[in-house]
């Protein structure tokens, strides 16, 4: 495994304190979520350790994060998000020993992770204790002969996690702006601040209740859309159309072929139940979005699905 990782390390990305490579699902550090569309599958070279994990825990990870730490590098204390990953977090240490710090309130434990050792976190250690690595080039350990100092080498950690079932298929039924406590006119920085505050409040690291996990996942889904200018623009257009649809009464949803073609005129037409007419200008058939047209004699509308409308 170590040989494989060294051979493919050029494909990794650099972060402030380390280099990182994801398999199966890519972890998004901006919104504590995952995405799989741009991530490499788990290589076959990992199968033997995956099989060993399953035999021990009856649990199969589907996401792997590989971190490369140079001497002097570390990682801030944290708890892996509950809204995305399930009950186990496993960390395989390769190439160098390291001290990992575990903290819960006023409690603090330093654990020596030897090269080729596998750390298994579950239950309280998974959900309530934070873990991190202090950035330094050596660690002090206690031995039978007294304190000793070990120098750090380049360390590779392989973290095994499983994305919670149906995370990718979470359907957010609420208005995304309502989830973040704002509206579409809210400045981006305010959106970001609201997201961070709500993440702290709703984050399942504060509670392992399933309702909190779902709320956190919903929050991350909303932020993943609203932080992206193109996705936000598309979403704004969708809710604007929905607002229009709820403010008017749609008589029928039609295709152009359902309308009467008035060859001598510049419009298509359709008879309303009141006896009036819906008139659709022929110049608008090149539009790419459904359009609403009013009756010329009552308050009803028809929605026209134009030929170039992209219906998903």
């Amino acid at each position: 495994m170590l040989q494989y990782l060294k051979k493919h390390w050029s494909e990794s990305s650099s972060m402030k304190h380390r280099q990182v490579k994801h398999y199966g699902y890519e972890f998004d550090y901006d919104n504590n979520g995952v995405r799989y569309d741009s991530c490499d599958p788990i290589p076959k070279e990992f199968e033997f350790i995956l099989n060993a994990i399953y035999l021990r825990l009856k649990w199969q990870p589907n996401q792997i994060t590989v971190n490369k730490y140079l001497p002097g590098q570390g990682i801030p204390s944290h708890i892996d998000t509950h809204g995305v990953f399930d009950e186990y977090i496993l960390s395989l240490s390769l190439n160098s020993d390291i001290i990992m710090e575990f903290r819960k309130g006023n409690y603090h434990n330093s654990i020596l992770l030897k090269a080729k050792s596998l750390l298994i976190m579950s239950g309280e250690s998974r959900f309530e204790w934070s873990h991190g690595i202090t950035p330094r080039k050596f660690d002090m350990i206690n031995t039978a002969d007294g304190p000793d100092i070990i120098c750090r080498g380049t360390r590779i950690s392989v973290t095994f996690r499983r994305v919670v079932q149906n995370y990718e298929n979470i359907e957010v039924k609420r208005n995304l702006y309502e989830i973040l406590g704002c509206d579409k006119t809210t400045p981006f920085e305010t959106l970001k601040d609201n997201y961070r505050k709500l993440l702290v409040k709703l984050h399942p690291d504060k509670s392992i209740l399933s309702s909190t996990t779902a709320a956190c996942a919903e929050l991350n889904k909303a932020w993943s859309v609203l932080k992206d200018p193109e996705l936000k623009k598309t979403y704004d257009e969708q809710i604007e159309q929905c607002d229009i649809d709820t403010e008017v009464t749609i008589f029928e949803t039609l295709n152009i072929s359902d309308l009467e073609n008035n060859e001598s005129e510049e419009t298509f037409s359709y008879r309303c139940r009141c006896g009036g007419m819906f008139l659709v200008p022929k110049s608008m058939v090149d539009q790419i979005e459904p359009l609403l047209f009013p009756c010329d004699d009552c308050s009803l509308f028809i929605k026209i699905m134009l030929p170039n409308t992209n219906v998903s």
Side-chain angles (χ1 to χ4, degrees):
M1 180 185 290
L2 189 57
Q3 291 178 345
Y4 173 86
L5 293 174
K6 288 180 178 179
K7 181 179 179 181
H8 293 82
W9 198 251
S10 60
E11 303 169 6
S12 66
S13 58
S14 296
M15 300 186 68
K16 183 177 180 180
H17 302 290
R18 62 196 188 278
Q19 287 181 283
V20 63
K21 172 70 177 173
H22 301 283
Y23 296 103
Y25 291 82
E26 183 171 358
F27 187 71
D28 188 336
Y29 294 94
D30 290 332
N31 67 9
N32 289 329
V34 292
R35 55 180 182 269
Y36 63 89
D37 54 344
S38 60
C39 193
D40 292 338
I42 296 176
K44 66 180 187 307
E45 285 79 5
F46 287 76
E47 287 182 2
F48 77 96
I49 186 65
L50 294 177
N51 290 335
I53 290 171
Y54 182 77
L55 289 174
R56 170 70 183 272
L57 301 175
K58 297 297 185 284
W59 174 84
Q60 187 74 56
N62 59 11
Q63 192 276 335
I64 295 176
T65 297
V66 183
N67 287 292
K68 180 180 181 180
Y69 299 90
L70 300 177
Q73 293 182 328
I75 185 171
S77 186
H78 66 284
I79 298 176
D80 288 64
T81 179
H82 303 179
V84 177
F85 302 114
D86 68 6
E87 59 190 302
Y88 289 107
I89 302 292
L90 278 61
S91 179
L92 175 65
S93 295
L94 298 174
N95 212 55
S96 179
D97 300 348
I98 199 81
I99 290 288
M100 181 170 282
E101 313 286 348
F102 287 82
R103 290 182 170 83
K104 177 185 176 183
N106 295 325
Y107 296 98
H108 173 216
N109 282 323
S110 298
I111 306 296
L112 174 63
L113 303 182
K114 297 188 69 66
K116 299 183 181 180
S117 68
L118 181 66
L119 169 70
I120 301 176
M121 290 181 283
S122 66
E124 186 177 344
S125 65
R126 157 74 174 101
F127 296 113
E128 299 182 27
W129 286 74
S130 66
H131 59 280
I133 297 172
T134 303
R136 57 188 177 221
K137 294 187 177 181
F138 62 88
D139 289 306
M140 182 173 290
I141 61 172
N142 292 318
T143 69
D145 299 323
D148 192 13
I149 292 177
I150 57 173
C151 294
R152 293 184 183 178
T154 297
R155 174 176 174 265
I156 306 294
S157 75
V158 185
T159 302
F160 301 88
R161 295 176 287 206
R162 185 166 67 186
V163 175
V164 295
Q165 187 176 11
N166 294 330
Y167 172 82
E168 287 296 324
N169 298 320
I170 290 173
E171 182 180 0
V172 179
K173 297 181 179 180
R174 296 167 56 198
N175 182 291
L176 301 187
Y177 290 105
E178 291 178 359
I179 293 173
L180 287 170
C182 56
D183 58 45
K184 65 180 182 180
T185 64
T186 303
F188 177 78
E189 289 302 319
T190 304
L191 283 174
K192 183 191 292 187
D193 288 343
N194 285 8
Y195 165 72
R196 290 176 174 174
K197 291 175 183 177
L198 287 168
L199 187 63
V200 171
K201 179 180 178 180
L202 296 175
H203 203 288
D205 291 347
K206 305 295 182 181
S207 169
I208 59 175
L209 296 175
S210 60
S211 59
T212 308
T213 299
C216 185
E218 186 180 59
L219 176 66
N220 284 332
K221 282 285 186 177
W223 175 240
S224 69
V225 172
L226 299 182
K227 73 173 184 176
D228 185 299
E230 290 301 318
L231 293 179
K232 182 179 183 298
K233 179 182 177 182
T234 300
Y235 179 71
D236 287 346
E237 292 172 350
Q238 291 174 348
I239 60 174
E240 182 177 347
Q241 184 63 49
C242 288
D243 289 343
I244 293 174
D245 289 350
T246 58
E247 291 172 1
V248 301
T249 301
I250 305 296
F251 174 48
E252 283 191 70
T253 299
L254 305 167
N255 295 312
I256 287 292
S257 59
D258 297 320
L259 307 180
E260 182 179 347
N261 184 5
N262 305 309
E263 296 183 0
S264 61
E265 300 180 14
E266 296 182 351
T267 61
F268 296 99
S269 63
Y270 191 78
R271 179 72 62 181
C272 181
R273 67 187 180 192
C274 73
M277 297 293 292
F278 299 98
L279 300 177
V280 179
K282 294 180 179 179
S283 61
M284 303 190 72
V285 297
D286 291 330
Q287 299 294 315
I288 61 172
E289 297 291 339
L291 296 175
L292 297 177
F293 296 93
C295 173
D296 62 5
D297 200 36
C298 74
S299 61
L300 296 178
F301 283 72
I302 55 171
K303 178 186 285 188
I304 303 299
M305 307 300 292
L306 298 167
N308 293 323
T309 298
N310 182 16
V311 180
S312 57

